[in-house]
Amino acid sequence: MAIGSKRKTPPGILLLRRMRGRNWSPKTFRYAILLITFIAYACYHASRKPSSIVKSVLHSEPSTKPPQEHVNKYPWPLGNVFVKEETDVNHVLSHRKGWEPFNGKGGTSRLGEIDVAFLACYSLGMYVAGHLGDTLDLRLFLTWGMIGSGFFVGLFGMGYFWNIHAFWFFLVMQMAAGLFQATGWPSVVAVVGNWYGKRKRGLIMGIWNAHTSVGNICGSLIAAGVLEYGWGWSFIAPGFVMSLGGVLVYLFLAAYPEDVGFPDINSNSGKFIKRRRNIEEEEESIDADVEGAGEGSGLGSGSEPGYENKTSVGLLQACMIPGVIPFALCLFFSKLVAYTFLYWLPFYLSQTTIGGEYMSVKTAGNLSTLFDVGGIVGGILAGYISDKFKARATTAATFMYAAIPAMLVYHFYGGVSQTVNILLMMVAGLFVNGPYALITTAVSADLGTHKSLQGDSRALATVTAIIDGTGS
């Protein structure tokens, strides 16, 4: 299916161009693309964290209650800067009533079931979303995905204020949120791949992929920070931020170079070519504007001016690209571990003695962010090494093998003290998230523009969806 004929320049960019009187340079657009997609996917991950933060509140089985005299009264790491009135939350938790249907016997199983439902819908939706991302306008596709995801995450939190205790309600909200969350990753990787070639792609995407960990950190801090006002706010606040991110994407994300008058970097037209833009003519007619851009860059007159006709590839064709299936299976095992930490690390920390003390829910939520700090370093390091030695597969395999002893050491010695726990958690995060970041970014972008694809077919979003969907 040809795409591009109905795409328009983002309204925010049109406004800025009118104010400046000229277009941005390709370099400026690239920086803007990295920043906007960074913020967008950080919002996606921030909206996934609340469920892990509130698990200890929803499920408060008396048998798992730590003795109150052994609870660390001071939130880590900066006291009231991160968390206000810690003792008030401990007082609330001391009653250990929980929230039906997640309290009592089988509560943890139900919490696990809504996580599985979310990930199942996310994984299955990824295959559809990837193909749609290569077919539809990525800017609009990503916008509606973010707004829809934020809406359903917020509805989950509204269950607190509406006093809902029906398991099916929370299950359906998580499933719907999972479907909308599937729009994110294929879209942002495809957008970045549209603007960046393969040179230093591993390092650039390794740094850019820090949005995953930054989103986890921000989501944890936001959810923990508003927990004292009711666990529902821990969902509503990230959901609202998610929706605002969707508005930002709609206004300013130029998903394709052609949308702002530059040729496709992956097409036969080669490098970006600077050209003048007549703003008034563009506002009157997008077609007239891009026709001049097409003439300036030597694009053929037989295609849609300025927007080269692109055809999306099918799932089967994308699976046949060399390397897609092996890396998808590799990511399956990497994400299995990464998502276990994502959804259960705060709960684990709050239910385990560290240095002879139990942590409060807020302290555990804050401390768990250091796993993602290690993940940021791991993603950048893996990207740099893979670029340096031109060995994506070897780098990913090395990190995955190193993660095995790192997790074993954390399991056996993480309870010695808080300092030891922090160090071992960051090391585990480095090796667990390193290959996860590398495969879902640079590897996916490489395979999505593989030389086996003939012509200018769009496969970035589809390949990314296959790899990440299998991993999820």
mmCIF file of all heavy atoms in Angstrom, residues 100-118:
data_model
loop_
_atom_site.group_PDB
_atom_site.id
_atom_site.type_symbol
_atom_site.label_atom_id
_atom_site.label_comp_id
_atom_site.label_asym_id
_atom_site.label_seq_id
_atom_site.Cartn_x
_atom_site.Cartn_y
_atom_site.Cartn_z
ATOM 1 N N GLU A 100 -9.475 -5.478 47.322
ATOM 2 C CA GLU A 100 -10.088 -6.599 46.604
ATOM 3 C C GLU A 100 -10.131 -6.280 45.107
ATOM 4 O O GLU A 100 -10.348 -5.137 44.717
ATOM 5 C CB GLU A 100 -11.525 -6.814 47.110
ATOM 6 C CG GLU A 100 -11.611 -7.290 48.545
ATOM 7 C CD GLU A 100 -13.050 -7.559 48.956
ATOM 8 O OE1 GLU A 100 -13.931 -7.516 48.058
ATOM 9 O OE2 GLU A 100 -13.295 -7.806 50.135
ATOM 10 N N PRO A 101 -9.864 -7.248 44.248
ATOM 11 C CA PRO A 101 -9.715 -8.690 44.491
ATOM 12 C C PRO A 101 -8.266 -9.146 44.623
ATOM 13 O O PRO A 101 -7.975 -10.323 44.404
ATOM 14 C CB PRO A 101 -10.344 -9.269 43.230
ATOM 15 C CG PRO A 101 -9.906 -8.298 42.158
ATOM 16 C CD PRO A 101 -9.916 -6.940 42.808
ATOM 17 N N PHE A 102 -7.357 -8.213 44.960
ATOM 18 C CA PHE A 102 -5.935 -8.557 44.963
ATOM 19 C C PHE A 102 -5.404 -8.874 46.349
ATOM 20 O O PHE A 102 -4.237 -9.231 46.496
ATOM 21 C CB PHE A 102 -5.125 -7.411 44.351
ATOM 22 C CG PHE A 102 -5.547 -7.050 42.959
ATOM 23 C CD1 PHE A 102 -6.203 -5.853 42.700
ATOM 24 C CD2 PHE A 102 -5.315 -7.915 41.916
ATOM 25 C CE1 PHE A 102 -6.611 -5.523 41.418
ATOM 26 C CE2 PHE A 102 -5.719 -7.599 40.628
ATOM 27 C CZ PHE A 102 -6.374 -6.404 40.380
ATOM 28 N N ASN A 103 -6.226 -8.693 47.377
ATOM 29 C CA ASN A 103 -5.767 -9.040 48.714
ATOM 30 C C ASN A 103 -6.194 -10.468 49.043
ATOM 31 O O ASN A 103 -6.903 -11.120 48.284
ATOM 32 C CB ASN A 103 -6.336 -8.055 49.745
ATOM 33 C CG ASN A 103 -7.854 -8.067 49.763
ATOM 34 O OD1 ASN A 103 -8.489 -8.624 48.878
ATOM 35 N ND2 ASN A 103 -8.439 -7.429 50.768
ATOM 36 N N GLY A 104 -5.757 -10.934 50.152
ATOM 37 C CA GLY A 104 -6.126 -12.281 50.560
ATOM 38 C C GLY A 104 -5.409 -13.361 49.773
ATOM 39 O O GLY A 104 -4.471 -13.103 49.017
ATOM 40 N N LYS A 105 -5.870 -14.578 49.946
ATOM 41 C CA LYS A 105 -5.243 -15.721 49.285
ATOM 42 C C LYS A 105 -5.433 -15.641 47.776
ATOM 43 O O LYS A 105 -6.512 -15.355 47.280
ATOM 44 C CB LYS A 105 -5.864 -17.015 49.817
ATOM 45 C CG LYS A 105 -5.184 -18.277 49.291
ATOM 46 C CD LYS A 105 -5.797 -19.516 49.907
ATOM 47 C CE LYS A 105 -5.111 -20.765 49.397
ATOM 48 N NZ LYS A 105 -5.706 -22.005 49.976
ATOM 49 N N GLY A 106 -4.370 -15.865 47.048
ATOM 50 C CA GLY A 106 -4.425 -15.811 45.591
ATOM 51 C C GLY A 106 -4.276 -14.413 45.029
ATOM 52 O O GLY A 106 -4.385 -14.219 43.818
ATOM 53 N N GLY A 107 -4.004 -13.435 45.894
ATOM 54 C CA GLY A 107 -3.875 -12.057 45.422
ATOM 55 C C GLY A 107 -2.698 -11.852 44.487
ATOM 56 O O GLY A 107 -2.821 -11.189 43.453
ATOM 57 N N THR A 108 -1.566 -12.444 44.847
ATOM 58 C CA THR A 108 -0.385 -12.293 43.996
ATOM 59 C C THR A 108 -0.598 -12.963 42.640
ATOM 60 O O THR A 108 -0.076 -12.507 41.627
ATOM 61 C CB THR A 108 0.857 -12.889 44.682
ATOM 62 O OG1 THR A 108 0.575 -14.233 45.092
ATOM 63 C CG2 THR A 108 1.254 -12.070 45.897
ATOM 64 N N SER A 109 -1.370 -14.050 42.627
ATOM 65 C CA SER A 109 -1.660 -14.720 41.352
ATOM 66 C C SER A 109 -2.478 -13.808 40.444
ATOM 67 O O SER A 109 -2.236 -13.741 39.232
ATOM 68 C CB SER A 109 -2.425 -16.018 41.600
ATOM 69 O OG SER A 109 -1.644 -16.938 42.340
ATOM 70 N N ARG A 110 -3.437 -13.100 41.024
ATOM 71 C CA ARG A 110 -4.251 -12.181 40.225
ATOM 72 C C ARG A 110 -3.417 -11.017 39.707
ATOM 73 O O ARG A 110 -3.608 -10.552 38.580
ATOM 74 C CB ARG A 110 -5.438 -11.682 41.051
ATOM 75 C CG ARG A 110 -6.443 -12.767 41.405
ATOM 76 C CD ARG A 110 -7.697 -12.186 42.029
ATOM 77 N NE ARG A 110 -8.620 -13.237 42.451
ATOM 78 C CZ ARG A 110 -8.669 -13.723 43.690
ATOM 79 N NH1 ARG A 110 -7.845 -13.226 44.614
ATOM 80 N NH2 ARG A 110 -9.514 -14.673 43.994
ATOM 81 N N LEU A 111 -2.516 -10.535 40.540
ATOM 82 C CA LEU A 111 -1.613 -9.474 40.084
ATOM 83 C C LEU A 111 -0.755 -9.958 38.925
ATOM 84 O O LEU A 111 -0.510 -9.232 37.958
ATOM 85 C CB LEU A 111 -0.720 -9.008 41.244
ATOM 86 C CG LEU A 111 -1.409 -8.204 42.350
ATOM 87 C CD1 LEU A 111 -0.462 -8.007 43.532
ATOM 88 C CD2 LEU A 111 -1.872 -6.854 41.816
ATOM 89 N N GLY A 112 -0.299 -11.202 39.038
ATOM 90 C CA GLY A 112 0.478 -11.775 37.940
ATOM 91 C C GLY A 112 -0.358 -11.967 36.689
ATOM 92 O O GLY A 112 0.133 -11.783 35.565
ATOM 93 N N GLU A 113 -1.629 -12.283 36.857
ATOM 94 C CA GLU A 113 -2.507 -12.502 35.708
ATOM 95 C C GLU A 113 -2.742 -11.218 34.916
ATOM 96 O O GLU A 113 -2.791 -11.241 33.680
ATOM 97 C CB GLU A 113 -3.845 -13.084 36.183
ATOM 98 C CG GLU A 113 -3.746 -14.544 36.603
ATOM 99 C CD GLU A 113 -4.994 -15.021 37.319
ATOM 100 O OE1 GLU A 113 -6.001 -14.266 37.327
ATOM 101 O OE2 GLU A 113 -4.989 -16.136 37.878
ATOM 102 N N ILE A 114 -2.889 -10.080 35.611
ATOM 103 C CA ILE A 114 -3.102 -8.844 34.859
ATOM 104 C C ILE A 114 -1.815 -8.410 34.155
ATOM 105 O O ILE A 114 -1.859 -7.794 33.088
ATOM 106 C CB ILE A 114 -3.639 -7.700 35.751
ATOM 107 C CG1 ILE A 114 -2.633 -7.316 36.838
ATOM 108 C CG2 ILE A 114 -4.975 -8.070 36.362
ATOM 109 C CD1 ILE A 114 -3.050 -6.078 37.611
ATOM 110 N N ASP A 115 -0.668 -8.770 34.739
ATOM 111 C CA ASP A 115 0.602 -8.503 34.043
ATOM 112 C C ASP A 115 0.707 -9.359 32.781
ATOM 113 O O ASP A 115 1.121 -8.880 31.723
ATOM 114 C CB ASP A 115 1.791 -8.792 34.961
ATOM 115 C CG ASP A 115 1.968 -7.739 36.048
ATOM 116 O OD1 ASP A 115 1.406 -6.636 35.901
ATOM 117 O OD2 ASP A 115 2.658 -8.028 37.046
ATOM 118 N N VAL A 116 0.338 -10.630 32.911
ATOM 119 C CA VAL A 116 0.384 -11.534 31.757
ATOM 120 C C VAL A 116 -0.592 -11.061 30.682
ATOM 121 O O VAL A 116 -0.276 -11.074 29.477
ATOM 122 C CB VAL A 116 0.065 -12.972 32.179
ATOM 123 C CG1 VAL A 116 -0.110 -13.869 30.958
ATOM 124 C CG2 VAL A 116 1.170 -13.528 33.073
ATOM 125 N N ALA A 117 -1.783 -10.631 31.095
ATOM 126 C CA ALA A 117 -2.778 -10.155 30.135
ATOM 127 C C ALA A 117 -2.266 -8.920 29.395
ATOM 128 O O ALA A 117 -2.434 -8.799 28.177
ATOM 129 C CB ALA A 117 -4.086 -9.823 30.856
ATOM 130 N N PHE A 118 -1.632 -8.014 30.139
ATOM 131 C CA PHE A 118 -1.069 -6.821 29.516
ATOM 132 C C PHE A 118 -0.016 -7.198 28.479
ATOM 133 O O PHE A 118 -0.041 -6.725 27.339
ATOM 134 C CB PHE A 118 -0.454 -5.918 30.586
ATOM 135 C CG PHE A 118 0.304 -4.734 30.040
ATOM 136 C CD1 PHE A 118 -0.342 -3.527 29.804
ATOM 137 C CD2 PHE A 118 1.664 -4.815 29.768
ATOM 138 C CE1 PHE A 118 0.338 -2.432 29.297
ATOM 139 C CE2 PHE A 118 2.355 -3.733 29.256
ATOM 140 C CZ PHE A 118 1.691 -2.538 29.027
#
